[in-house]
Amino acid sequence: IKDYHENKYILEEKIDTKNSNTLRGVIMNFFTEYSFLILVFTIMIAGSIVSDEFSRGTIKKLLTVPHKRSTILWSKYITVLLTIPIIVLFLLICELIIGGLILGFDSLSIPAVIYNISLNKMEVLNVFSYFFLTFLANLPQLILLVTLAFACSTILNSTAFAITITFCGIIAAEIINGFALVYNIKLLDYFVTTNWDFTQFLFGGDSIFGLSIGFSALICLTYLVIMLIITFITFIYKDIKNV
């Protein structure tokens, strides 16, 4: 049904909205192409921002300033979160400049046309509006993964372990989701990996695991809060005398 309505729109409007070999096509598939690169940059920053202070011994000087430990850690965590939109924006600008020079900018005038399953109608969006929606849908997964790297960096004081554990978590997510999908294990519905992909809910879509958007949001928020609580408690009471 989705393909039928989208192809019908192409024939009626005489606009090729499925050509991926244009700048418009590249922007619409941005997160498919660059999600791993974004993860590499953000996880490396999150996994080193606290542990490097311990490895260099600068954590003692940092904690002598008249600020609470929680305030210092919050400032670092907010910095980590801000790297996500900054890196995405940087890559987008590079893609627009390089892709525009090679492929041309004309295709950006062609809208993003998607069939909304739940509303049973076509939705016509500006390309950059579509990009922003997909960014928001990918944001929960990015935040959870950088938070995991940040937590490991703070708790283990090791950049290598923080980055390795996070990437192992990404690999494990594929395995867990595969088991949840094939064997329909209900317990896995409460795992964060089966809930963090909100791109499934865009334009009236449903979770492949049969989960609601509210349930997924609650699970993701629960895991995020747990990781932050453990991280902050560990940092506040950490002994730095022997660092």
Side-chain angles (χ1 to χ4, degrees), residues 18-131:
K18 293 195 173 183
N19 187 0
S20 60
N21 298 318
T22 62
L23 180 58
R24 171 191 172 277
V26 172
I27 299 303
M28 289 190 65
N29 294 310
F30 181 87
F31 289 99
T32 303
E33 300 292 333
Y34 293 104
S35 60
F36 184 75
L37 186 61
I38 295 168
L39 282 172
V40 168
F41 283 129
T42 52
I43 288 172
M44 287 181 66
I45 293 170
S48 62
I49 195 168
V50 177
S51 57
D52 277 1
E53 298 280 5
F54 283 93
S55 61
R56 293 197 301 261
T58 54
I59 189 67
K60 290 183 178 180
K61 185 182 293 185
L62 183 64
L63 294 181
T64 58
V65 297
H67 294 291
K68 294 180 180 180
R69 288 194 179 193
S70 58
T71 303
I72 294 170
L73 197 61
W74 268 120
S75 66
K76 287 187 172 292
Y77 181 63
I78 291 171
T79 301
V80 167
L81 294 182
L82 288 175
T83 60
I84 298 174
I86 290 171
I87 290 172
V88 170
L89 183 61
F90 173 76
L91 291 173
L92 176 63
I93 292 172
C94 290
E95 190 59 60
L96 283 171
I97 295 172
I98 299 172
L101 292 174
I102 297 173
L103 302 172
F105 296 95
D106 295 343
S107 61
L108 293 179
S109 62
I110 301 174
V113 182
I114 302 97
Y115 177 71
N116 190 308
I117 301 170
S118 62
L119 298 179
N120 191 30
K121 71 173 186 177
M122 299 297 296
E123 290 197 33
V124 181
L125 303 172
N126 177 278
V127 174
F128 294 103
S129 297
Y130 176 85
F131 175 87

Side-chain angles (χ1 to χ4, degrees), residues 6 14 16 33 35 46 94 101 132 162 165 176 220 223-225 230 239:
E6 291 179 358
K14 296 181 175 59
D16 188 2
E33 300 292 333
S35 60
C94 290
L101 292 174
F132 183 68
I165 289 172
I176 292 170
C220 289
Y223 275 80
L224 180 67
V225 170
I230 295 173
D239 184 5

Side-chain angles (χ1 to χ4, degrees), residues 134-194:
T134 54
F135 170 67
L136 291 180
N138 280 280
L139 198 55
Q141 181 180 5
L142 291 170
I143 290 175
L144 285 162
L145 285 171
V146 298
T147 302
L148 174 61
F150 180 79
C152 293
S153 174
T154 305
I155 296 168
L156 302 176
N157 302 339
S158 170
T159 301
F161 275 120
I163 294 173
T164 302
I165 289 172
T166 306
F167 278 105
C168 285
I170 295 173
I171 297 171
E174 297 295 327
I175 299 172
I176 292 170
N177 291 356
F179 273 103
L181 192 61
V182 174
Y183 298 105
N184 194 27
I185 303 173
K186 291 300 180 183
L187 179 63
L188 297 181
D189 290 349
Y190 297 93
F191 275 55
V192 69
T193 61
T194 56

